[in-house]
């Protein structure tokens, strides 16, 4: 008997069943999965979208992320350059190959050197898009893919994320629905990361220290929706 | 993990006299519970979510075979592989085989309690594969050759000075020779050493907080980001998980996620919650090329349908120990096996045998705080009581306890007599406490009162007070 048979057999025996569930019972469970009904969803995000964006910012800042607002992608180079100067960082950025980021006119900032691709151990600053933002907790949702390598979310010490206001959803559940729309029911990208603030640890005498293994700093740029988004 | 639960009393006694342990664990009550209370107060839906989580987990357990098979189908469909293991030995072998196929010399590890259960690290070492723990707490105790003393803060028992000495002693070979005393500097040093390890490792091993039947995903929750580097940089990702972690849908996982971090650390969400599904896709430019799930039973299926099935709802959040006066007094190692605190007292007898762990279900003041804070409402005191009764029936309990519980059983079957007797005892204890309200010596409780005072009851039993209060409320 295989371990699989042993384990399933013992579970069934303890549940007082002979074999696997069949017929209507199995169909009901299948339907429960396919229907992926929402459970109890906190009421706090039951507010207009503009207020959700404010809530997202407030929650993210409470998690020790920093946030800037930009009117358009044209404002992003200056925000990034200020950020690098403020933290005394070299003008070198590893950026996701995502087409959305092509719209940032970095050409106007020749002192910032941009390379694109997955993260390497020597990268100090990464710049990535996000799949969604979640207002409920100030969380970013990142979906991996050819243009969005997930190592950029973890390896560099500084992570800058550029997100459109329209990408900010209320809750985890809304974010799941958008993911299903983008990738198809039952399909997931290899990695979906929910990120709530920069990395931290309290493993030494319960003292909170930032930057344990992931980014020490997380900066989020919320860009107003362009004409194409509204 | 080596089982040392038999020595609970001795270990607890020693812990009560250990200054470092007393300092470390007394800090627990001013940290975790305060943060949890704040997070709970900010989510009006919290208690409803706990009911929903309890019902969800019960639903899963009643259909566990179905959800596990569905999970396996999805993992396979996404290009991953599930390895079913009914024992620790099978699980160790499954991990070894995958490591050997990947020609692994070093593996990085995210924090995982199941791999503690199955003593994976020492096994891999014997086979010539170097396991490297990457969660800072796990890294510290691995360096010190110790075991975890808390399920989410494994190095809770270590003082900063001990970490200073440990790093000073062990980090010389990496070119670090300074004796660091600043916590931030200590973290930075470990960070820079582990950075290279992530990149060099052939295999990354993580645990799983949840398995998603709908999508075949495994989920990890961390604050450091170590688990993500562990599972995204090496060529092979192995997620080791026990069978009860499966949940039907992403929405179901969301319900549990809203409870998990709040109950554990008082965060609304932990910093990183990651869903991993299959190996990297054809056009992905990073991520592991192979994805394996090692699914471990090791005694859990025996709990299904039993009077202790509720234990399988556990999310391993640590709230019960954070709120437990006994845990805070005796520390984590006294319990002698992977799980300390109330969940350990209730679960370890099942996992390592009642004979071995017979003292643990007594390690309770029956104050009920653990059940009050448990996000999935596990009736921990009731389960400890079941074990005590079982130990008594099987005559495994030592003499004085047999006498004690026998008396208790006699009285509980005669409620009027019980009320009279406990009323008397409460008044007696109250009188003994005198003005100070503390009792410094008690028969049968000398293990407790030799180092601390026992708070004297107010002179009334709970039932008497309940009656009066109810009367007052009318
Ligand atoms: S028993 Fe409850 S409180 Fe304790 S670790 Fe498990 S889920 Fe958390």
């Amino acid at each position: 008997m295989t371990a699989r048979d042993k384990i399933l057999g013992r579970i069934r025996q303890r549940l007082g069943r002979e074999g696997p569930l069949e017929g209507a019972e199995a169909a009901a469970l299948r339907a429960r999965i396919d229907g992926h009904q929402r459970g109890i969803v906190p009421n706090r995000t039951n507010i207009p979208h503009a207020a959700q964006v404010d809530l997202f910012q407030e929650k993210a800042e409470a998690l020790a992320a920093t946030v800037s607002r930009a009117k358009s992608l044209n404002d992003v180079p200056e925000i990034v350059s200020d950020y690098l100067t403020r933290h005394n960082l070299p003008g070198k950025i590893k950026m996701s190959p995502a087409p959305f980021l092509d719209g940032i006119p970095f050409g106007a900032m020749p002192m910032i050197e941009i390379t694109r691709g997955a993260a390497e151990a020597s990268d100090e600053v990464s710049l990535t898009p996000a799949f969604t933002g979640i207002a409920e907790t100030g969380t970013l949702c990142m979906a991996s893919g050819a243009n969005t390598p997930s190592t950029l979310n973890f390896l560099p010490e500084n992570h800058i994320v550029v997100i459109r206001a329209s990408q900010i959803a209320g809750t985890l559940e809304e974010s799941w629905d958008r993911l299903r729309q983008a990738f198809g029911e039952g399909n997931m990208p290899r990695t979906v990361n929910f990120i709530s603030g920069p990395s931290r640890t309290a493993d030494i005498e319960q003292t909170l220290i930032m930057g344990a293994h992931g980014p020490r700093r997380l900066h989020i740029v919320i860009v107003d929706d362009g004409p194409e988004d509204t | 993990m080596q089982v040392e639960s038999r020595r609970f009393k001795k270990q607890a006694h020693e812990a009560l006299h250990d200054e470092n342990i007393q300092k470390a664990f007394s800090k627990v009550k001013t940290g975790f519970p305060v943060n949890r209370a704040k997070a709970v107060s900010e989510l009006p839906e919290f208690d409803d979510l706990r009911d929903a989580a309890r019902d969800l987990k019960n639903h899963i357990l009643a259909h566990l075979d179905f959800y596990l098979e569905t999970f396996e189908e999805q993992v396979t469909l996404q290009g991953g592989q599930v390895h079913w293991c009914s024992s620790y030995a099978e699980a160790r072998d499954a991990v070894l085989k995958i490591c050997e196929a990947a020609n692994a010399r070093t593996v990085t590890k995210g924090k995982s309690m199941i791999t503690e259960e199955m003593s994976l690290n020492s096994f891999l070492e014997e086979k010539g594969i170097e396991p490297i723990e990457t969660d800072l707490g796990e890294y510290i105790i691995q360096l010190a050759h110790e075991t975890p003393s808390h399920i989410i803060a494994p190095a809770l028992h270590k003082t900063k000075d001990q970490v200073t000495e440990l790093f000073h002693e062990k980090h010389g070979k990496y070119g670090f020779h300074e004796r660091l005393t600043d916590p931030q500097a200590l973290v930075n040093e470990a960070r820079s050493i582990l950075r290279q390890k992530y990149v060099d490792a052939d295999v990354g091993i993580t645990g799983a907080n949840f398995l998603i039947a709908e999508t075949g995903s495994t989920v990890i929750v961390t604050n450091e980001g170590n688990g993500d580097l562990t599972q995204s940089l090496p060529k092979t990702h192995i997620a080791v998980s026990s069978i009860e972690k499966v949940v039907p849908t992403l929405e179901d996982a969301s319900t549990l996620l809203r409870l998990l971090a709040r109950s554990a650390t008082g965060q609304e969400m932990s910093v990183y919650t990651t869903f991993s599904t299959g190996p990297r896709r054809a056009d992905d430019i990073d991520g592991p090329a192979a994805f394996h799930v090692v699914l471990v039973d090791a005694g859990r299926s025996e709990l299904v349908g039993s009077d202790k099935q509720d234990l399988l709802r556990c999310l391993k959040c640590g709230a019960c120990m954070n709120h437990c006066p006994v845990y805070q007094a005796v520390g984590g190692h006294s319990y002698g096996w992977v799980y300390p605190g109330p969940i350990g007292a209730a679960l370890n007898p099942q996992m390592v045998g009642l004979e071995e762990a017979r003292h643990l279900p007594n390690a309770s003041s029956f104050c009920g705080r653990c059940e009050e804070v448990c996000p999935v409402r596990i009736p921990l005191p009731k389960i400890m009581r079941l074990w005590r009764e079982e130990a008594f029936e099987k005559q495994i309990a030592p003499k004085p306890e047999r006498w004690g519980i026998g008396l208790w059983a006699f009285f509980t079957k005669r409620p009027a007599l019980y009320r009279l007797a406990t009323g008397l005892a409460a008044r007696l204890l109250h009188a003994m406490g005198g003005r100070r309200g503390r009792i410094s010596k008690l028969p049968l409780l000398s293990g407790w009162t030799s180092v601390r005072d026992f708070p004297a009851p107010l002179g009334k039993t709970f039932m008497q007070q309940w009656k009066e209060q109810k009367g007052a409320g009318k």
Side-chain angles (χ1 to χ4, degrees), chain B residues 238-267:
Chain B
I238 307 176
V240 187
S241 173
S242 49
I243 53 173
E244 80 282 12
K245 303 276 183 182
V246 70
V247 302
T249 64
L250 298 168
E251 278 70 8
D252 293 322
S254 308
T255 295
L256 299 177
L257 281 170
R258 287 197 176 93
L259 292 165
L260 179 60
R262 287 179 173 91
S263 301
T265 54
Q267 291 166 284

CSV table of all heavy atoms in Angstrom, one decimal, chain B residues 238-267:
chain,number,residue,atom,x,y,z
B,238,ILE,N,11.2,23.0,-2.2
B,238,ILE,CA,10.4,22.0,-1.6
B,238,ILE,C,9.6,22.6,-0.5
B,238,ILE,O,10.1,23.3,0.4
B,238,ILE,CB,11.3,20.9,-0.9
B,238,ILE,CG1,12.3,20.3,-1.9
B,238,ILE,CG2,10.5,19.8,-0.3
B,238,ILE,CD1,13.3,19.3,-1.3
B,239,ALA,N,8.3,22.5,-0.5
B,239,ALA,CA,7.4,22.9,0.6
B,239,ALA,C,7.0,21.7,1.4
B,239,ALA,O,6.5,20.8,0.9
B,239,ALA,CB,6.2,23.6,0.1
B,240,VAL,N,7.4,21.7,2.7
B,240,VAL,CA,7.0,20.6,3.6
B,240,VAL,C,5.8,21.0,4.4
B,240,VAL,O,5.8,22.1,5.0
B,240,VAL,CB,8.2,20.2,4.5
B,240,VAL,CG1,7.8,18.9,5.2
B,240,VAL,CG2,9.5,20.0,3.7
B,241,SER,N,4.8,20.2,4.4
B,241,SER,CA,3.6,20.6,5.0
B,241,SER,C,2.8,19.4,5.7
B,241,SER,O,2.9,18.3,5.1
B,241,SER,CB,2.6,21.3,4.1
B,241,SER,OG,1.4,21.6,4.7
B,242,SER,N,2.2,19.7,6.8
B,242,SER,CA,1.3,18.6,7.3
B,242,SER,C,0.0,18.7,6.6
B,242,SER,O,-0.4,19.7,6.1
B,242,SER,CB,1.2,18.7,8.9
B,242,SER,OG,0.9,20.1,9.2
B,243,ILE,N,-0.8,17.6,6.7
B,243,ILE,CA,-2.0,17.4,5.9
B,243,ILE,C,-3.1,18.4,6.3
B,243,ILE,O,-3.9,18.7,5.4
B,243,ILE,CB,-2.5,16.0,5.9
B,243,ILE,CG1,-2.7,15.5,7.4
B,243,ILE,CG2,-1.6,15.0,5.2
B,243,ILE,CD1,-3.4,14.2,7.5
B,244,GLU,N,-3.1,18.8,7.5
B,244,GLU,CA,-4.3,19.6,8.0
B,244,GLU,C,-4.3,21.1,7.5
B,244,GLU,O,-5.1,21.8,7.8
B,244,GLU,CB,-4.5,19.5,9.5
B,244,GLU,CG,-3.6,20.4,10.3
B,244,GLU,CD,-2.2,20.0,10.4
B,244,GLU,OE1,-1.8,19.0,9.7
B,244,GLU,OE2,-1.4,20.6,11.3
B,245,LYS,N,-3.2,21.4,6.7
B,245,LYS,CA,-3.1,22.8,6.3
B,245,LYS,C,-3.9,23.2,5.1
B,245,LYS,O,-3.9,24.3,4.6
B,245,LYS,CB,-1.6,23.1,6.0
B,245,LYS,CG,-0.7,22.8,7.1
B,245,LYS,CD,-0.6,24.0,8.0
B,245,LYS,CE,0.4,23.8,9.1
B,245,LYS,NZ,0.5,24.9,10.1
B,246,VAL,N,-4.5,22.2,4.5
B,246,VAL,CA,-5.2,22.4,3.2
B,246,VAL,C,-6.5,23.3,3.5
B,246,VAL,O,-7.2,23.1,4.5
B,246,VAL,CB,-5.5,21.1,2.5
B,246,VAL,CG1,-6.6,20.3,3.2
B,246,VAL,CG2,-6.0,21.3,1.0
B,247,VAL,N,-6.8,24.2,2.6
B,247,VAL,CA,-8.0,25.0,2.6
B,247,VAL,C,-8.6,25.0,1.2
B,247,VAL,O,-7.8,24.9,0.2
B,247,VAL,CB,-7.9,26.4,3.1
B,247,VAL,CG1,-7.3,26.5,4.5
B,247,VAL,CG2,-7.0,27.3,2.2
B,248,PRO,N,-9.9,25.1,1.1
B,248,PRO,CA,-10.5,25.0,-0.3
B,248,PRO,C,-10.1,26.1,-1.2
B,248,PRO,O,-9.5,25.8,-2.3
B,248,PRO,CB,-12.0,25.0,0.0
B,248,PRO,CG,-12.2,24.6,1.4
B,248,PRO,CD,-10.9,25.1,2.1
B,249,THR,N,-10.3,27.4,-0.9
B,249,THR,CA,-10.1,28.4,-1.9
B,249,THR,C,-9.3,29.6,-1.4
B,249,THR,O,-8.9,29.7,-0.2
B,249,THR,CB,-11.5,29.1,-2.2
B,249,THR,OG1,-12.0,29.7,-1.0
B,249,THR,CG2,-12.5,28.0,-2.7
B,250,LEU,N,-8.9,30.5,-2.3
B,250,LEU,CA,-8.2,31.7,-1.9
B,250,LEU,C,-9.0,32.5,-0.9
B,250,LEU,O,-8.4,33.2,0.0
B,250,LEU,CB,-7.9,32.5,-3.2
B,250,LEU,CG,-7.0,31.7,-4.2
B,250,LEU,CD1,-7.0,32.5,-5.6
B,250,LEU,CD2,-5.6,31.6,-3.7
B,251,GLU,N,-10.3,32.5,-1.1
B,251,GLU,CA,-11.1,33.3,-0.2
B,251,GLU,C,-11.1,32.7,1.2
B,251,GLU,O,-11.0,33.4,2.2
B,251,GLU,CB,-12.6,33.3,-0.6
B,251,GLU,CG,-12.9,34.4,-1.7
B,251,GLU,CD,-12.2,34.0,-3.1
B,251,GLU,OE1,-11.7,32.9,-3.3
B,251,GLU,OE2,-12.3,34.9,-4.0
B,252,ASP,N,-11.0,31.4,1.3
B,252,ASP,CA,-10.9,30.7,2.6
B,252,ASP,C,-9.6,31.1,3.3
B,252,ASP,O,-9.5,31.3,4.5
B,252,ASP,CB,-11.1,29.2,2.5
B,252,ASP,CG,-12.5,28.8,2.0
B,252,ASP,OD1,-13.4,29.4,2.5
B,252,ASP,OD2,-12.6,27.9,1.2
B,253,ALA,N,-8.6,31.1,2.5
B,253,ALA,CA,-7.2,31.4,3.0
B,253,ALA,C,-7.3,32.9,3.6
B,253,ALA,O,-6.7,33.2,4.6
B,253,ALA,CB,-6.2,31.3,2.0
B,254,SER,N,-8.0,33.7,2.8
B,254,SER,CA,-8.1,35.2,3.3
B,254,SER,C,-8.8,35.3,4.6
B,254,SER,O,-8.3,36.1,5.5
B,254,SER,CB,-8.9,36.0,2.2
B,254,SER,OG,-8.4,35.7,0.9
B,255,THR,N,-9.8,34.5,4.9
B,255,THR,CA,-10.4,34.5,6.2
B,255,THR,C,-9.4,34.2,7.3
B,255,THR,O,-9.3,34.8,8.3
B,255,THR,CB,-11.6,33.5,6.2
B,255,THR,OG1,-12.6,33.9,5.3
B,255,THR,CG2,-12.2,33.3,7.6
B,256,LEU,N,-8.6,33.1,7.0
B,256,LEU,CA,-7.7,32.7,8.1
B,256,LEU,C,-6.5,33.7,8.2
B,256,LEU,O,-6.0,33.9,9.3
B,256,LEU,CB,-7.2,31.3,7.7
B,256,LEU,CG,-8.2,30.2,7.7
B,256,LEU,CD1,-7.7,28.9,7.3
B,256,LEU,CD2,-9.0,30.1,9.0
B,257,LEU,N,-6.1,34.3,7.1
B,257,LEU,CA,-5.0,35.3,7.1
B,257,LEU,C,-5.4,36.5,8.0
B,257,LEU,O,-4.6,37.1,8.6
B,257,LEU,CB,-4.7,35.7,5.7
B,257,LEU,CG,-3.8,34.8,4.9
B,257,LEU,CD1,-3.7,35.3,3.4
B,257,LEU,CD2,-2.4,34.7,5.5
B,258,ARG,N,-6.7,36.8,7.9
B,258,ARG,CA,-7.1,38.0,8.8
B,258,ARG,C,-7.0,37.7,10.2
B,258,ARG,O,-6.9,38.6,11.1
B,258,ARG,CB,-8.6,38.4,8.4
B,258,ARG,CG,-8.7,39.1,7.1
B,258,ARG,CD,-10.0,39.8,6.9
B,258,ARG,NE,-10.0,40.5,5.6
B,258,ARG,CZ,-10.5,40.0,4.5
B,258,ARG,NH1,-11.1,38.8,4.5
B,258,ARG,NH2,-10.4,40.7,3.4
B,259,LEU,N,-7.0,36.4,10.6
B,259,LEU,CA,-6.9,36.1,12.0
B,259,LEU,C,-5.4,35.8,12.4
B,259,LEU,O,-5.0,36.1,13.5
B,259,LEU,CB,-7.7,34.8,12.3
B,259,LEU,CG,-9.2,35.0,12.2
B,259,LEU,CD1,-9.9,33.6,12.1
B,259,LEU,CD2,-9.7,35.7,13.4
B,260,LEU,N,-4.7,35.2,11.5
B,260,LEU,CA,-3.4,34.7,11.8
B,260,LEU,C,-2.4,35.8,12.3
B,260,LEU,O,-1.9,35.6,13.5
B,260,LEU,CB,-2.8,34.0,10.6
B,260,LEU,CG,-1.4,33.4,10.7
B,260,LEU,CD1,-1.3,32.4,11.8
B,260,LEU,CD2,-0.9,32.8,9.4
B,261,ALA,N,-2.1,36.8,11.6
B,261,ALA,CA,-1.1,37.8,12.0
B,261,ALA,C,-1.6,38.6,13.2
B,261,ALA,O,-0.8,38.8,14.1
B,261,ALA,CB,-0.8,38.7,10.8
B,262,ARG,N,-2.9,38.9,13.2
B,262,ARG,CA,-3.4,39.6,14.4
B,262,ARG,C,-3.2,38.8,15.7
B,262,ARG,O,-2.9,39.3,16.7
B,262,ARG,CB,-4.9,40.0,14.2
B,262,ARG,CG,-5.1,41.1,13.2
B,262,ARG,CD,-6.6,41.4,13.0
B,262,ARG,NE,-6.8,42.5,12.2
B,262,ARG,CZ,-7.0,42.5,10.8
B,262,ARG,NH1,-7.0,41.3,10.2
B,262,ARG,NH2,-7.2,43.6,10.1
B,263,SER,N,-3.5,37.5,15.6
B,263,SER,CA,-3.4,36.7,16.8
B,263,SER,C,-1.9,36.4,17.1
B,263,SER,O,-1.6,36.3,18.3
B,263,SER,CB,-4.1,35.3,16.5
B,263,SER,OG,-5.4,35.5,16.2
B,264,ALA,N,-1.1,36.4,16.1
B,264,ALA,CA,0.3,36.0,16.4
B,264,ALA,C,1.1,37.2,17.0
B,264,ALA,O,1.7,37.1,18.0
B,264,ALA,CB,1.0,35.5,15.1
B,265,THR,N,1.1,38.3,16.2
B,265,THR,CA,2.0,39.4,16.6
B,265,THR,C,1.2,40.7,16.7
B,265,THR,O,1.8,41.8,17.0
B,265,THR,CB,3.1,39.6,15.5
B,265,THR,OG1,2.4,39.8,14.2
B,265,THR,CG2,4.0,38.5,15.3
B,266,GLY,N,-0.1,40.7,16.4
B,266,GLY,CA,-0.8,41.9,16.5
B,266,GLY,C,-0.7,42.8,15.2
B,266,GLY,O,-1.1,43.9,15.1
B,267,GLN,N,-0.1,42.2,14.1
B,267,GLN,CA,0.0,42.9,12.8
B,267,GLN,C,-1.4,42.6,12.1
B,267,GLN,O,-2.0,41.5,12.3
B,267,GLN,CB,1.1,42.3,12.0
B,267,GLN,CG,2.5,42.7,12.5
B,267,GLN,CD,3.6,41.9,11.8
B,267,GLN,OE1,3.8,40.7,12.2
B,267,GLN,NE2,4.3,42.5,10.9
